[in-house]
Amino acid sequence: RNELDPRRLTLSVGAERIWINLHDFVEERLGEGMELAPISGFANKAAEQAARLAGLLTLWEDFEAQVVPEQAMVNACYLARFYLAEMLRLREAAKVSRHLKLAERVRVWLIEKWSEPAVHLAAIYNDCPVVAVRNRKVAKSIVATLVEHGWLQAAPEHTHVNGARRKEAWIIHGRTL
């Protein structure tokens, strides 16, 4: 009653061998520090998905087929490996670098806590609560990133910040001197 009762497709000897090779390929790369570890939840299912794809490819070719041929499994494994590579690529593209995370924390501090319209480098590495920017070199690179992204703009030379003239300072986005 309203239930599917699909017939079973079996794997040919060649298809099973290829499927096992994919399974082993993935398993060898799932350990800590290995290439598929970051997507282990997805990668763990790659062989299972390849078997499903092989079944679909088989039935596409011959709806009455009873056995998944070797070539269908080869094609399905190509697809599974493509999807593994795509998942790794997308994961990498979605990662935000440590530097950008620091820049964002400094930006939020400037917007929410810094009351002046402009800021100077020493204020960032001395006053900002983000410990990782407590040195001149890191603070300078964070400023460069915030300038690049439009959150800071170079102020005229000798701008007053915190009651003192600064040779180098930056105006915070949305504020005026």
Side-chain angles (χ1 to χ4, degrees), residues 7 9 55-67:
R7 63 185 149 81
L9 278 177
L56 288 171
L57 292 171
T58 298
L59 295 176
W60 183 262
E61 285 290 319
D62 176 9
F63 190 70
E64 302 301 321
Q66 300 292 315
V67 177

Short mmCIF file of all heavy atoms in Angstrom, two decimals, residues 7 9 55-67:
data_model
loop_
_atom_site.label_atom_id
_atom_site.label_comp_id
_atom_site.label_asym_id
_atom_site.label_seq_id
_atom_site.Cartn_x
_atom_site.Cartn_y
_atom_site.Cartn_z
N ARG A 7 13.25 -3.32 -7.42
CA ARG A 7 14.03 -4.55 -7.60
C ARG A 7 15.48 -4.28 -7.25
O ARG A 7 15.93 -3.14 -7.28
CB ARG A 7 13.88 -5.06 -9.02
CG ARG A 7 14.42 -4.15 -10.08
CD ARG A 7 14.10 -4.73 -11.46
NE ARG A 7 13.91 -3.72 -12.45
CZ ARG A 7 14.89 -3.11 -13.08
NH1 ARG A 7 16.13 -3.42 -12.84
NH2 ARG A 7 14.64 -2.17 -13.96
N LEU A 9 19.45 -4.32 -7.83
CA LEU A 9 20.49 -4.34 -8.85
C LEU A 9 21.73 -4.90 -8.16
O LEU A 9 22.08 -4.44 -7.07
CB LEU A 9 20.81 -2.93 -9.35
CG LEU A 9 19.93 -2.30 -10.40
CD1 LEU A 9 20.39 -0.89 -10.69
CD2 LEU A 9 19.95 -3.12 -11.67
N GLY A 55 23.96 2.74 -10.18
CA GLY A 55 22.64 2.17 -10.42
C GLY A 55 21.80 3.05 -11.33
O GLY A 55 21.15 2.57 -12.26
N LEU A 56 21.82 4.35 -11.07
CA LEU A 56 21.07 5.28 -11.92
C LEU A 56 21.59 5.29 -13.35
O LEU A 56 20.82 5.26 -14.31
CB LEU A 56 21.13 6.69 -11.33
CG LEU A 56 20.33 6.92 -10.06
CD1 LEU A 56 20.65 8.27 -9.47
CD2 LEU A 56 18.85 6.79 -10.35
N LEU A 57 22.91 5.30 -13.49
CA LEU A 57 23.49 5.29 -14.83
C LEU A 57 23.14 4.00 -15.57
O LEU A 57 22.88 4.02 -16.77
CB LEU A 57 25.01 5.46 -14.74
CG LEU A 57 25.50 6.84 -14.25
CD1 LEU A 57 27.00 6.81 -14.00
CD2 LEU A 57 25.11 7.93 -15.22
N THR A 58 23.13 2.90 -14.84
CA THR A 58 22.78 1.61 -15.44
C THR A 58 21.35 1.63 -15.94
O THR A 58 21.07 1.23 -17.09
CB THR A 58 22.96 0.47 -14.41
OG1 THR A 58 24.34 0.43 -14.03
CG2 THR A 58 22.54 -0.87 -14.96
N LEU A 59 20.43 2.08 -15.09
CA LEU A 59 19.02 2.11 -15.47
C LEU A 59 18.73 3.14 -16.56
O LEU A 59 17.79 2.98 -17.33
CB LEU A 59 18.14 2.34 -14.25
CG LEU A 59 18.17 1.21 -13.21
CD1 LEU A 59 17.35 1.57 -11.99
CD2 LEU A 59 17.71 -0.11 -13.83
N TRP A 60 19.53 4.18 -16.63
CA TRP A 60 19.37 5.16 -17.70
C TRP A 60 19.67 4.51 -19.05
O TRP A 60 18.99 4.76 -20.04
CB TRP A 60 20.32 6.34 -17.45
CG TRP A 60 20.18 7.43 -18.47
CD1 TRP A 60 20.95 7.62 -19.56
CD2 TRP A 60 19.18 8.44 -18.49
NE1 TRP A 60 20.52 8.70 -20.26
CE2 TRP A 60 19.42 9.23 -19.63
CE3 TRP A 60 18.11 8.76 -17.66
CZ2 TRP A 60 18.63 10.32 -19.96
CZ3 TRP A 60 17.32 9.85 -17.99
CH2 TRP A 60 17.58 10.62 -19.13
N GLU A 61 20.71 3.67 -19.05
CA GLU A 61 21.09 2.97 -20.28
C GLU A 61 20.10 1.85 -20.63
O GLU A 61 19.76 1.65 -21.78
CB GLU A 61 22.49 2.35 -20.13
CG GLU A 61 23.61 3.35 -20.21
CD GLU A 61 23.79 3.92 -21.60
OE1 GLU A 61 23.69 3.16 -22.59
OE2 GLU A 61 23.99 5.14 -21.71
N ASP A 62 19.69 1.12 -19.59
CA ASP A 62 18.81 -0.05 -19.83
C ASP A 62 17.91 -0.21 -18.62
O ASP A 62 18.32 -0.76 -17.58
CB ASP A 62 19.66 -1.30 -20.05
CG ASP A 62 18.82 -2.56 -20.20
OD1 ASP A 62 17.57 -2.47 -20.31
OD2 ASP A 62 19.42 -3.66 -20.19
N PHE A 63 16.67 0.22 -18.75
CA PHE A 63 15.75 0.21 -17.61
C PHE A 63 15.48 -1.21 -17.10
O PHE A 63 15.10 -1.39 -15.95
CB PHE A 63 14.45 0.91 -17.97
CG PHE A 63 13.57 1.14 -16.79
CD1 PHE A 63 13.92 2.07 -15.81
CD2 PHE A 63 12.40 0.42 -16.62
CE1 PHE A 63 13.13 2.27 -14.70
CE2 PHE A 63 11.59 0.61 -15.51
CZ PHE A 63 11.96 1.55 -14.55
N GLU A 64 15.69 -2.20 -17.91
CA GLU A 64 15.44 -3.58 -17.51
C GLU A 64 16.69 -4.27 -16.95
O GLU A 64 16.64 -5.45 -16.60
CB GLU A 64 14.91 -4.38 -18.70
CG GLU A 64 13.63 -3.82 -19.31
CD GLU A 64 12.48 -3.75 -18.29
OE1 GLU A 64 12.34 -4.69 -17.48
OE2 GLU A 64 11.74 -2.75 -18.31
N ALA A 65 17.80 -3.57 -16.85
CA ALA A 65 19.06 -4.19 -16.39
C ALA A 65 18.92 -4.79 -15.00
O ALA A 65 18.16 -4.31 -14.16
CB ALA A 65 20.18 -3.15 -16.40
N GLN A 66 19.67 -5.86 -14.76
CA GLN A 66 19.68 -6.54 -13.47
C GLN A 66 21.03 -6.39 -12.76
O GLN A 66 21.12 -6.60 -11.57
CB GLN A 66 19.38 -8.04 -13.67
CG GLN A 66 18.04 -8.32 -14.31
CD GLN A 66 16.89 -7.95 -13.40
OE1 GLN A 66 16.90 -8.26 -12.21
NE2 GLN A 66 15.91 -7.25 -13.95
N VAL A 67 22.06 -6.03 -13.55
CA VAL A 67 23.43 -5.97 -13.03
C VAL A 67 24.07 -4.64 -13.43
O VAL A 67 23.93 -4.20 -14.56
CB VAL A 67 24.27 -7.15 -13.59
CG1 VAL A 67 25.72 -7.06 -13.12
CG2 VAL A 67 23.66 -8.49 -13.20
#
